[in-house]
Amino acid sequence: MIDSAALLRLLEESGALKQGHFLLSSGLHSSAYVQCALLLEDPLRARQIGEELAALLAPLEPRSVLSPALGGLIIGHETAAALGVPFRFTERAEGQMELRRGFSLQRGERIVIVEDVVTTGRSSGEAASVAEGFGAELLAVGAILDRTAGRGDLSVPLVALMQLDLPAYPVAACPLCEQGGEPDKPGSRSRAGSS
Ligand SMILES: [Zn+2]
């Protein structure tokens, strides 16, 4: 089992843990940002982390994994592979999270949602709404990193490999903005981006 210290070391080694002033996809500002794409850049490492997350989720006996694109794609796929179950993803179409490409879920299907980082749980919540629309049974949200620090708003348990309590502020309370700084929006550009 990978412990928090080992995972933190991997985050640092891979350059995934960045310091600065960031606008997170949740809308919060932060002095730290985790680019999980860099953590998962090495396919063998991605596979290992997927196996670790799968081991935490296996007792729930999910029949499939659902991930919100893009952030959840790699870890979701690796976790599903380790669980030996199908993998599907939701994506935005005109701002609305949807299951496309012929994917569907069965009524009562036991699923887990898998993401890279959960900060507010917004994208997991959107994927959960999609699953609900199909009548699937959502068991838990699995993630590499839990950044919620109690702010999360999920209706199911959050199962994470590591809790990372990095500072995150509403814009109005951001000390970095107060100092006159402009946040970077990491997004998916250059070597500084993800969800
Ligand atoms: Zn700010």
Side-chain angles (χ1 to χ4, degrees):
M1 182 71 208
I2 196 165
D3 61 15
S4 290
L7 190 54
L8 190 59
R9 203 157 52 239
L10 289 179
L11 286 169
E12 285 168 349
E13 272 173 23
S14 62
L17 187 57
K18 307 198 173 290
Q19 307 290 332
H21 181 193
F22 302 104
L23 170 60
L24 306 178
S25 63
S26 57
L28 299 175
H29 286 200
S30 181
S31 58
Y33 178 71
V34 180
Q35 175 47 281
C36 269
L38 289 176
L39 178 69
L40 302 173
E41 186 177 27
D42 175 348
L44 293 179
R45 183 186 284 153
R47 180 177 298 173
Q48 183 202 357
I49 293 171
E51 286 168 352
E52 298 285 353
L53 189 51
L56 291 183
L57 295 169
L60 300 172
E61 300 183 350
R63 305 315 301 167
S64 69
V65 171
L66 182 69
S67 292
L70 277 166
L73 287 185
I74 295 169
I75 188 59
H77 188 269
E78 292 297 334
T79 302
L83 287 167
V85 301
F87 170 72
R88 306 181 182 102
F89 58 88
T90 62
E91 60 197 304
R92 269 179 222 290
E94 287 158 16
Q96 190 73 21
M97 200 69 106
E98 290 178 2
L99 204 52
R100 310 184 82 190
R101 302 171 196 266
F103 287 146
S104 70
L105 296 167
Q106 291 179 354
R107 180 158 291 279
E109 183 169 336
R110 295 169 62 84
I111 71 158
V112 287
I113 289 173
V114 170
E115 278 223 71
D116 52 359
V117 183
V118 174
T119 304
T120 61
R122 190 174 69 176
S123 49
S124 291
E126 289 172 331
S129 298
V130 171
E132 239 167 57
F134 282 88
E137 184 187 350
L138 178 59
L139 305 166
V141 171
I144 303 171
L145 297 176
D146 171 4
R147 280 194 70 175
T148 59
R151 291 179 304 262
D153 187 22
L154 294 169
S155 57
V156 293
L158 174 58
V159 176
L161 286 176
M162 182 183 179
Q163 294 191 347
L164 196 57
D165 195 4
L166 298 171
Y169 318 97
V171 183
C174 176
L176 300 158
C177 282
E178 208 164 288
Q179 291 163 23
E182 282 284 321
D184 290 325
K185 188 172 189 302
S188 51
R189 71 189 157 78
S190 75
R191 285 184 61 82
S194 162
S195 67

